[in-house]
Amino acid sequence: MARISPLTATNLYPARWWHPLADGRIQCDLCPRDCQLHEGQRGACFVRQMHDGAIQLTTYGRSSGFCIDPIEKKPLNHFYPGSSVLSFGTAGCNLACKFCQNWDISRSKDMDRLMDEATPAMIADAARRHGADAVAYTYNDPVIFAEYAIDTALACREQGIRNVAVTAGYIHAEPAREFFAVMDAANVDLKAFTDDFYRSLCGARLQPVLDTLSYLHHDTACWLEITTLLIPGRNDSADEIAALSGWIARELGPDVPLHFTAFHPDWKLDDIPPTPPATLTQARRIARDAGLNHVYTGNVHDSEGGTTYCPGCHAALIVRDWYEIRRYDLDALGQCPHCRSRLAGRFGSQLGHDGKAFGARRIPVRLAP
């Protein structure tokens, strides 16, 4: 059963994964930041606060909004293609990416931005009512509202609704075990492949993210895909892309999908130009040469870079145009009709809902007045 509690007047919810320190402070053990807090102080994520000698989550039951999206927008190309997902997030983030594309949510310290109040059961009911196949924890990083996400995921599972995490994977091992145990799929942002990039542009470190990726792929049943946003002059060199792709091929195997997406000027990197489409095409070629079978491009119109090919005979099996699926040539087991090779991923008995892909629609949903 889901651990569902009524929303409190102050929106404080007992957090997990912390311990007291000898000097009266407490340390948050959720992520590698290891924030050490005095009474009343908030962590770097802004949403976990020391209150009455314990850490409280300040955003439990509050969301920045709900929307029905195509699963391909997460992006997940090998997880029930054509299906729909009810997406939501809260506020705050435990990274400080200077290039954040959702900075108005993730960097917000304005709790009034959290428009909708909803218990986990309400979210599960809304997903079922609107015909969503899954719930996605996204917009900001769900690891910082892990208690809320876990309770919601449990409520969704009771109604047969799948759960998807869109995350940077910056989380300690113990909470990661509990968090990903209730997730059916995850797309992890691998921001770059150098520690210098993580330190200077994200205020974080690379190794914990690599540890999360390895754990997800080798020790869980959660389907994994990876996204890297390519920023001109920062993480888009051929050498770095080759190193990143080679690590995935060696440590995770050739069948983990990798998405290279285009940067657009935003937040504190508004002086850097958008990623040229040719950079994405080159990155895709490098990654395929490194042995990866499924490499995609995103945030650009690139039909070839959005198409899923058979790793056996190289036939085009899922042809996409942005978020629209133009052709789908797989059976329920994900097998190629030409050579019977089985595609890595999660596939249903039919495409999308009632045999029809959800498409490129975006449907805002309100759960509460």
Side-chain angles (χ1 to χ4, degrees), residues 24-25 37-41 49-54:
R25 295 180 297 168
L37 308 176
H38 291 283
E39 181 65 30
Q41 202 171 22
Q49 179 182 25
M50 182 176 178
H51 179 79
D52 287 341

Side-chain angles (χ1 to χ4, degrees), residues 255 288 293-294 307-318 327 329-330 334-343:
D255 290 326
R288 287 169 63 86
N293 288 327
H294 307 295
T307 293
T308 299
Y309 295 91
C310 174
C313 68
H314 308 295
L317 299 179
I318 308 175
R327 188 168 78 243
D329 289 338
L330 288 173
Q335 291 185 138
C336 171
H338 309 289
C339 70
R340 310 312 296 172
S341 293
R342 187 166 180 175
L343 198 68

